[in-house]
Amino acid sequence: MTSTDSAATDPAARKAPAKDPWDLPDVSGLVVGVLGGTGPQGKGLAYRLARAGQKVIIGSRVAERAVAAADELGNGVEGADNAETARRSDIVIVAVPWDGHGKTLESLRAELAGKLVVDCVNPLGFDKQGAYALKPEEGSAAQQAAALLPDSRVTAAFHHLSAVLLEDPEIDRIDTDVMVLGEERADVEIVQALAGRIPGMRGIFAGRLRNAHQVESLVANLISVNRRYKAHAGLRVTDI
């Protein structure tokens, strides 16, 4: 039997090589909307992505406020109300305050249908001892988003980024990893690629949405780190 015949009859020989986990799609042509784009985290993400060449629209409950913030950011960023932002975007980053998370998403269910949604909200409480994690009934903010948006493709990412660093125009690189969670590999890889557009960042697959709670909760630890060391700490995943 020839080697060709062997390959035809042996399933192991016919198996395609494993996909390179760093082979990510080109996302440069996608429009990114940021709900909560007038807050520090959303505004910082919008600035970094636009500065990297991404088309970005920031949303707010009040369109005029979004337009004013967009004008301040420059780099081609546009502002609109949340509904228009969702309609015009291919990828929608959710960066709203936790206490308005559920209500905001519920009101935009129709506009977000069919969209790739990236939830970066961290459910946190604060008391005299500092920040602490809250656990939503659904398990995490990302799982709450998935429950409220059954017609959207929900992922979770961008939780551990310092808004101070994101908004600082003097900083060219932000050396950190972005943990990305989701149910579909193709969706996760789009978000990984989006993170990689920002110099210094890598998007790292970190599991399915059921693992989002501990990723969201880790921000409470980073807040403690930052307060103790007067820093803007991020994360690096080693050995990959």
Side-chain angles (χ1 to χ4, degrees):
M1 180 180 294
T2 66
S3 59
T4 303
D5 293 334
S6 177
T9 57
D10 182 357
R14 296 199 307 270
K15 187 177 180 182
K19 183 181 182 297
D20 180 353
W22 297 111
D23 181 16
L24 301 174
D26 178 9
V27 298
S28 59
L30 299 180
V31 177
V32 178
V34 184
L35 304 181
T38 59
Q41 192 78 357
K43 197 173 177 182
L45 277 169
Y47 171 67
R48 285 292 157 181
L49 289 169
R51 182 167 159 171
Q54 207 76 34
K55 175 59 186 174
V56 178
I57 307 170
I58 58 174
S60 174
R61 287 177 299 174
V62 180
E64 291 78 11
R65 188 163 58 192
V67 170
D71 289 343
E72 181 183 338
L73 291 176
N75 292 284
V77 177
E78 295 184 39
D81 63 35
N82 283 331
E84 183 180 347
T85 297
R87 282 194 297 267
R88 292 178 56 195
S89 302
D90 301 302
I91 305 174
V92 180
I93 297 174
V94 181
V96 300
W98 165 240
D99 58 7
H101 181 263
K103 188 174 182 180
T104 298
L105 296 184
E106 193 171 20
S107 70
L108 296 171
R109 181 177 296 171
E111 292 82 359
L112 291 170
K115 307 288 184 176
L116 176 54
V117 174
V118 186
D119 200 297
C120 70
V121 175
N122 303 301
L124 297 175
F126 296 86
D127 60 19
K128 292 181 179 179
Q129 296 182 9
Y132 60 94
L134 303 174
K135 189 160 189 179
E137 182 179 346
E138 297 85 355
S140 64
Q143 288 169 295
Q144 182 183 88
L148 292 171
L149 304 173
D151 298 319
S152 303
R153 296 137 53 207
V154 176
T155 61
F158 300 117
H159 302 90
H160 306 135
L161 305 181
S162 164
V164 173
L165 298 183
L166 289 172
E167 291 189 277
D168 189 342
E170 300 301 315
I171 294 175
D172 294 323
R173 292 175 56 87
I174 300 180
D175 292 315
T176 191
D177 287 332
V178 173
M179 303 181 80
V180 184
L181 304 98
E183 300 302 320
E184 299 295 334
R185 175 178 287 191
D187 293 337
V188 168
E189 289 181 347
I190 289 172
V191 181
Q192 286 181 263
L194 187 65
R197 296 272 288 159
I198 301 173
M201 286 192 193
R202 297 188 307 175
I204 306 294
F205 171 65
R208 294 179 179 268
L209 288 185
R210 69 180 184 180
N211 292 320
H213 171 65
Q214 57 264 37
V215 173
E216 296 169 0
S217 300
L218 189 58
V219 173
N221 301 90
L222 290 177
I223 290 172
S224 297
V225 170
N226 290 336
R227 287 181 174 174
R228 173 63 63 89
Y229 297 100
K230 310 300 181 189
H232 303 293
L235 296 179
R236 273 295 189 204
V237 180
T238 62
D239 201 34
I240 58 171

